[in-house]
């Protein structure tokens, strides 16, 4: 039987590349309108670069160093040299003979190289249309969620601690399931939220394989009293994943944390280049807030206005760092991106959204399913952290003995079909 990794590199990645080429073709007139002949020439050259790239992939050619002299090129090339040194027989690292996490990341970085090398295409986001469309296709779910949020905020003053906790846990789960809506697993096909995100929760509960959310709650509560003279100053960092509905669920959760006084500061971390089809860039982040503000729906626009205000006053902030679009596992962060690691050490709670982040947290290894999450992190513990992830790749740790075997017998593709999820927590000060 073919592995999921093999099928990804054989089928899904070339499909994504073909769509990227199509997108450039379709935008030819726009490039002409905006940049004249120079724009059309750049589009042509980028397309031939991307066609060559697709051919390199499909014929298992050796990976090539980056030549675009961008901020992250040297870090990439250095990583590639390291991977080459690991090859036992000295054969070149090639598309089908390397760790698939590395090859997937590499493909997205090479797409960016095609654009960087062809200004004025260098600012063009080849995935923008898909992300925008997925936001609009989730409109009804977004309205429902924003209405729910505004109701919670209105009633917040009268809430008991238990009610507050329950509301938090619901929004955490909504953000978790928001991760179903990524466009990379579906190779760019529509994958938006159609049903009510709140009504679906009870039915989805049994698909959560590990649920550490009560530890997330305790961490937030403990952080409340941590400031000098009992001042509340908790800071939450959210390592974002996908734009569209998932981003809305993250913003709603972040709004709740601030409005309920559970956090004073939220730092969002996104990607500095278009990534894995639907991941959030700064432009997507700002667009989503503006779009929500401008919605013709009372509670949606009220939410958007509030979010814009949080950004303006600095309660919320957006950050990107090249490390998030390097192929490195997170246990490399302390050495390879020491500045980012030390920033994260200042957090009271870090939420890692999505499947790719989970693969990087665990190094995408063939771990036994019962290996503890802490162990799979291999020393990556900048602060208390939690992974909110729907399963879309074949790595999973922290399960009970027998749990994986049972799932495999019932549903052989349980790790990749996106129906299951985990909320997994780890804290540097937790007793092992
Ligand atoms: O948006 P997410 O949750 O990181 O999902 C993207 C995932 O989809 C996949 O492309 C599925 O193979 C994985 O490579 C990746 O981890
Ligand atoms: Mn993603």
């Amino acid at each position: 039987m073919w592995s999921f990794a093999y099928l990804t590199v054989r089928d899904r990645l070339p499909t994504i590349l073909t769509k990227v080429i199509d997108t450039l073709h379709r935008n030819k007139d726009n490039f002409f309108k905006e940049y004249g002949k120079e724009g059309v020439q750049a589009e042509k050259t980028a397309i031939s670069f991307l066609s060559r790239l697709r051919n390199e992939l499909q014929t298992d050619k050796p990976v090539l160093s980056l030549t675009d002299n961008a901020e992250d090129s040297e870090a990439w090339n250095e990583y590639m040299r390291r991977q080459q040194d690991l090859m036992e027989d000295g054969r070149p690292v090639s598309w089908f003979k390397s760790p698939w996490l590395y090859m997937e990341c590499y493909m997205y970085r090479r797409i960016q190289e095609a654009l960087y090398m062809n200004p004025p295409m260098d600012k063009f986001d080849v995935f923008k249309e898909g992300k925008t469309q997925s936001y609009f296709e989730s409109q009804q779910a977004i309205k429902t969620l924003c209405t729910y949020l505004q109701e919670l905020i209105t009633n917040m003053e009268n809430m008991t601690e238990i009610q507050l906790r329950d509301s938090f846990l619901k929004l955490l789960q909504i953000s978790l399931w928001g991760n179903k809506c990524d466009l990379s697993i579906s190779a760019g096909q529509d994958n938006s939220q159609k049903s009510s995100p709140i009504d679906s929760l009870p039915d989805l509960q049994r698909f959560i394989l590990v649920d550490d959310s009560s530890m997330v709650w305790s961490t937030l509560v403990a952080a409340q009293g941590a400031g000098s003279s009992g001042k509340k100053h908790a800071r939450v960092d959210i390592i974002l994943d996908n734009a569209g509905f998932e981003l809305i669920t993250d913003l709603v959760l972040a709004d709740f944390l601030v409005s309920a006084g559970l956090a004073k500061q939220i730092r969002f971390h996104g990607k500095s280049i278009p990534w894995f089809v639907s991941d959030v860039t700064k432009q997507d982040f700002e667009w989503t807030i503006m779009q929500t503000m401008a919605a013709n729906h009372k509670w949606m626009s009220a939410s958007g206005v509030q979010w814009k205000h949080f950004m303006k006053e600095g309660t919320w902030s957006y950050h990107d760092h090249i490390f998030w679009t390097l192929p490195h596992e997170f246990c490399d962060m302390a050495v390879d991106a020491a500045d980012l690691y030390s920033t994260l050490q200042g957090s009271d709670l870090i939420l890692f959204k999505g499947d790719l982040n989970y693969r990087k947290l665990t190094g995408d290894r063939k771990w036994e399913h019962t290996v503890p999450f802490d162990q799979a992190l291999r020393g990556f513990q900048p602060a208390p952290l939690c992974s909110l992830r729907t399963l879309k790749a074949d790595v999973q740790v922290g399960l009970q003995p027998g749990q994986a075997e049972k799932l495999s017998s019932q549903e052989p593709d349980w790790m990749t079909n996106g129906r299951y999820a985990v909320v997994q927590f780890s804290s540097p000060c937790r007793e092992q």
Side-chain angles (χ1 to χ4, degrees), residues 45-296:
T45 327
I47 288 180
S48 71
F49 185 106
L50 291 165
S51 309
R52 250 180 295 135
L53 174 62
R54 186 175 50 192
N55 185 266
E56 285 168 32
L57 186 165
Q58 289 177 320
T59 53
D60 193 24
K61 291 282 182 310
V63 301
L64 304 175
S65 310
L66 297 175
T67 55
D68 51 18
N69 283 323
E71 194 191 348
D72 60 346
S73 311
E74 191 35 42
W76 263 99
N77 291 341
E78 155 71 25
Y79 184 90
M80 287 156 76
R81 283 192 292 272
R82 267 193 253 164
Q83 292 296 315
Q84 183 59 60
D85 292 345
L86 290 175
M87 295 293 277
E88 275 162 14
D89 50 7
R91 272 185 313 164
V93 173
S94 65
W95 286 87
F96 285 88
K97 297 186 197 78
S98 319
W100 71 296
L101 173 64
Y102 167 34
M103 280 307 107
E104 256 188 313
C105 292
Y106 175 71
M107 183 192 78
Y108 290 97
R109 183 57 183 82
R110 288 286 304 277
I111 294 176
Q112 194 55 31
E113 184 185 34
L115 304 175
Y116 277 156
M117 301 293 278
N118 290 292
M121 303 291 306
D122 50 340
K123 305 236 160 29
F124 186 71
D125 180 347
V126 285
F127 301 123
K128 179 75 196 157
E129 287 171 6
K131 292 185 269 193
T132 308
Q133 197 186 341
S134 117
Y135 174 92
F136 288 121
E137 275 161 2
S138 310
Q139 279 296 295
Q140 195 46 50
I142 298 177
K143 284 179 192 164
T144 310
L145 190 51
C146 289
T147 308
Y148 181 68
L149 171 71
Q150 297 305 327
E151 277 166 14
L152 283 180
I153 292 175
T154 314
N155 297 323
M156 210 164 255
E157 278 196 355
N158 308 318
M159 274 192 202
T160 62
E161 169 139 351
I162 295 188
Q163 286 170 326
L164 203 63
R165 179 180 186 274
D166 286 350
S167 306
F168 166 75
L169 294 179
K170 264 194 192 154
L171 293 179
L172 193 74
Q173 283 195 8
I174 290 172
S175 166
L176 168 68
W177 292 115
N179 182 244
K180 266 186 187 239
C181 304
D182 86 274
L183 295 175
S184 134
I185 190 86
S186 58
Q189 291 294 342
D190 168 30
N191 196 12
S192 51
Q193 175 79 24
K194 304 281 179 352
S195 54
S196 159
I198 301 141
D199 298 345
S200 327
L201 289 183
D203 289 343
L204 289 172
Q205 185 69 49
R206 69 189 180 92
F207 293 101
I208 305 182
L209 303 177
V210 179
D211 188 357
D212 290 339
S213 43
S214 60
M215 288 186 237
V216 181
W217 172 256
S218 327
T219 302
L220 279 171
V221 173
Q224 299 291 296
S228 53
S229 64
K231 227 175 88 208
K232 298 176 184 176
H233 70 243
R235 176 184 128 193
V236 174
D237 286 60
I238 305 183
I239 319 302
L240 296 168
D241 187 357
N242 304 302
F245 184 68
E246 178 170 1
L247 177 58
I248 294 289
T249 66
D250 301 332
L251 297 172
V252 165
L253 176 65
D255 186 337
F256 178 84
L257 289 174
V258 173
S259 303
L262 291 160
K264 253 250 142 57
Q265 209 195 340
I266 310 274
R267 292 167 61 95
F268 295 96
H269 301 261
K271 308 293 195 292
S272 42
I273 57 172
W275 196 244
F276 277 71
V277 189
S278 43
D279 286 14
V280 177
T281 62
K282 184 164 195 261
Q283 209 196 10
D284 299 324
F285 188 84
E286 288 169 354
W287 180 89
T288 302
I289 294 184
M290 291 305 286
Q291 201 61 40
T292 310
M293 261 175 84
N296 189 12

